[in-house]
Amino acid sequence: MSDKKPKRAQGNLDSFFSKKSKTEFKSINHNCEMSNTAVLSEVTEPISSALDSPSTSNKSPQKDLSKSINSKYDIGLYVNHVDSLPNEEKVSILNNVWTPDPNSFFQLKVYAKFKRQFQIKWLNTFNWLAYSKCKEGAFCKYCVLFLNQNQVGKGSHESLGGLVTKSYTNLKKALETFRCHASYNYHRTAVLNADNIIAILNNKQDNVLVQLNNQLKEDILQNRNMLEPIIQTIRLCGRQQFGLSGHQDSGRISMKEPIQNDGNFRWLLGHRAQHEDNTLKKYLETCSSNAMYTSPLIQNEIINIFGELIQSDIIKKNSKSNYFSVLADETTDMAQIEQFSICIRYFEEELVVLLEDFLTFVPVHDVTGLGLATVLLNTLKEIGLDLDKLRGQGYDGAATQVTFVVFRQL
């Protein structure tokens, strides 16, 4: 018999554990499932009850911000899209711009790995600041709504970006950026534009066109007030048959006694300003040298206007008369140009007198009977006289020839 013991068969991993029957395995698994279910039920029951309870749901610090946002007043919706908005709608958005709930908690992404929380108190510190949920960043509501971006940056180094054309999210430098933005010229312009539009809509201020129109009316009224004494002085000289010009007809009128003869017009106007009209005195002393309205050119223009008014008044009186006669004569002026002087004679019914008034001077180049008659008839038509009422003519020189041509053309 051999003394060697038989080799023990090599066992596997299952051989280290005691062999159990299938029924035993089933009972163990069942017990484990029961215990896990009990544990889960203990954990989930308070959570589900808390969620179902209305009192706990109201105390939840988290809210759905999308439900509390009126999308119409989110400032981010109007970035670069305000050109077509009427001013009334802009003001409505400004007054009702959406503001986050102070009890809500939200964050803004600044960098890929970090987050910083937007402070609601910033909205109170900077009254122009607004937060946009759709853009997830901060904006200046005045610059978004009332800034004309085409007028920014000319002559300055101000460039638009965060807070105006895109959301501002770099909250690390928020306070510094907000303070700088409030000092920019384009921000002040936007605020001023908003204030003006609000004042106009509230009828507290006229719009720019009305203001310019009112200013223009004031300037016209002031110029008329200054021009009136000048016109009246020229009228006085004309009625008294005074010559206007003197040795000095240009320059500023002095309030002192002139050294040399300034002429009747300048002396009378200066005397009036010195002794009667303080407003005229201030005007003559302070007005621009090219806006005094006292030059010989302005004097001649005013005299011509007087002549047109007088002529129009004579024609109006003559139109009430049944008949009139024409008187004409020619003479040569200092420039060696033949001047045809025309007068009319008519009966004035209101005064019951026979009047003879001068109408005008007309230069002529053809001094023949036909040439003078043509000038005469054309001038009478242009003035507005009715040639059907012409019953008499009076001439000097070529009287027969002119009379024959006139009556033949009539």
Side-chain angles (χ1 to χ4, degrees):
M1 177 178 288
S2 175
D3 297 331
K4 293 182 179 180
K5 295 181 180 179
K7 294 182 179 179
R8 187 176 178 179
Q10 186 176 0
N12 53 17
L13 185 61
D14 293 337
S15 63
F16 288 99
F17 300 93
S18 60
K19 192 173 182 180
K20 297 179 177 63
S21 63
K22 293 182 179 180
T23 57
E24 291 176 339
F25 276 113
K26 289 182 180 181
S27 63
I28 294 173
N29 292 334
H30 178 72
N31 294 332
C32 291
E33 291 176 359
M34 292 295 291
S35 61
N36 291 337
T37 302
V39 173
L40 289 175
S41 64
E42 292 177 358
V43 175
T44 56
E45 283 181 0
I47 295 178
S48 61
S49 62
L51 293 176
D52 295 336
S53 176
S55 60
T56 55
S57 61
N58 291 336
K59 295 180 181 180
S60 176
Q62 301 244 352
K63 290 186 178 180
D64 187 1
L65 294 179
S66 62
K67 294 182 180 179
S68 63
I69 295 177
N70 188 342
S71 60
K72 178 181 179 181
Y73 297 112
D74 191 317
I75 193 65
L77 298 176
Y78 302 96
V79 177
N80 301 322
H81 295 90
V82 296
D83 294 336
S84 59
L85 290 179
N87 290 331
E88 293 81 357
E89 189 169 351
K90 291 181 181 179
V91 174
S92 177
I93 297 169
L94 178 68
N95 295 331
N96 301 282
V97 66
W98 178 79
T99 304
D101 187 352
N103 297 324
S104 300
F105 177 81
F106 59 96
Q107 292 179 331
L108 292 177
K109 292 183 179 180
V110 182
Y111 306 107
K113 297 181 181 180
F114 302 99
K115 292 182 180 179
R116 293 184 183 275
Q117 184 177 359
F118 185 87
Q119 303 295 322
I120 302 295
K121 64 181 180 180
W122 292 342
L123 300 177
N124 297 326
T125 304
F126 305 96
N127 58 358
W128 49 264
L129 187 64
Y131 181 80
S132 170
K133 179 60 180 176
C134 65
K135 298 290 185 179
E136 295 186 345
F139 288 95
C140 173
K141 55 188 177 183
Y142 287 95
C143 292
V144 170
L145 296 173
F146 298 98
L147 178 63
N148 186 354
Q149 299 182 12
N150 296 328
Q151 299 179 355
V152 177
K154 296 180 180 180
S156 63
H157 301 286
E158 299 169 343
S159 59
L160 300 178
L163 295 172
V164 182
T165 59
K166 61 182 180 180
S167 61
Y168 179 77
T169 56
N170 187 8
L171 301 183
K172 183 178 180 180
K173 299 180 180 180
L175 294 178
E176 179 182 356
T177 302
F178 296 160
R179 295 189 184 99
C180 291
H181 179 81
S183 64
Y184 290 152
N185 290 331
Y186 66 80
H187 170 78
R188 296 174 180 174
T189 302
V191 175
L192 182 61
N193 292 339
D195 293 340
N196 290 335
I197 291 175
I198 293 173
I200 292 171
L201 295 178
N202 293 334
N203 296 325
K204 295 180 179 179
Q205 176 180 316
D206 295 328
N207 59 40
V208 177
L209 294 178
V210 174
Q211 292 181 37
L212 293 176
N213 189 31
N214 292 337
Q215 183 62 39
L216 179 60
K217 290 181 179 179
E218 292 180 3
D219 294 340
I220 293 175
L221 182 60
Q222 181 179 3
N223 292 335
R224 285 179 177 176
N225 293 334
M226 295 300 100
L227 196 59
E228 183 177 355
I230 297 174
I231 295 174
Q232 294 298 336
T233 303
I234 295 176
R235 180 172 178 268
L236 174 63
C237 293
R239 290 185 64 89
Q240 297 301 116
Q241 300 181 9
F242 293 159
L244 274 69
S245 61
H247 296 295
Q248 183 178 351
D249 291 331
S250 61
R252 194 174 299 277
I253 296 178
S254 175
M255 297 298 106
K256 299 179 180 180
E257 190 73 20
I259 299 176
Q260 56 182 354
N261 184 13
D262 272 357
N264 294 321
F265 166 72
R266 291 173 61 88
W267 189 89
L268 289 172
L269 189 64
H271 184 272
R272 177 174 182 171
Q274 185 177 5
H275 297 282
E276 297 181 11
D277 197 336
N278 292 328
T279 304
L280 176 62
K281 178 180 179 181
K282 181 179 179 181
Y283 171 76
L284 293 176
E285 291 178 341
T286 60
C287 68
S288 176
S289 58
N290 60 350
M292 292 186 296
Y293 302 104
T294 57
S295 67
L297 179 63
I298 300 297
Q299 296 175 31
N300 290 333
E301 288 184 4
I302 295 175
I303 292 173
N304 290 333
I305 294 174
F306 274 129
E308 293 175 359
L309 293 175
I310 294 173
Q311 185 184 91
S312 176
D313 185 65
I314 295 172
I315 300 302
K316 184 178 179 180
K317 292 179 180 180
N318 181 74
S319 64
K320 299 178 181 180
S321 177
N322 294 326
Y323 308 104
F324 73 93
S325 299
V326 61
L327 305 174
D329 192 9
E330 59 174 317
T331 184
T332 304
D333 62 10
M334 295 179 60
Q336 301 300 316
I337 297 177
E338 292 288 337
Q339 297 285 347
F340 207 19
S341 63
I342 302 175
C343 301
I344 60 172
R345 179 181 292 176
Y346 60 96
F347 181 76
E348 218 290 328
E349 294 182 354
E350 294 182 359
L351 300 177
V352 194
V353 293
L354 186 64
L355 298 179
E356 185 176 313
D357 292 325
F358 169 80
L359 288 179
T360 185
F361 282 112
V362 184
V364 293
H365 303 283
D366 185 1
V367 294
T368 63
L370 179 60
L372 294 175
T374 302
V375 171
L376 176 62
L377 292 175
N378 291 337
T379 302
L380 294 177
K381 291 179 182 179
E382 292 176 358
I383 291 175
L385 291 173
D386 186 2
L387 297 183
D388 292 337
K389 296 181 179 181
L390 180 59
R391 292 294 185 269
Q393 305 175 59
Y395 308 102
D396 187 14
T400 304
Q401 188 176 11
V402 175
T403 303
F404 173 75
V405 174
V406 169
F407 276 108
R408 187 179 65 179
Q409 293 190 12
L410 290 175

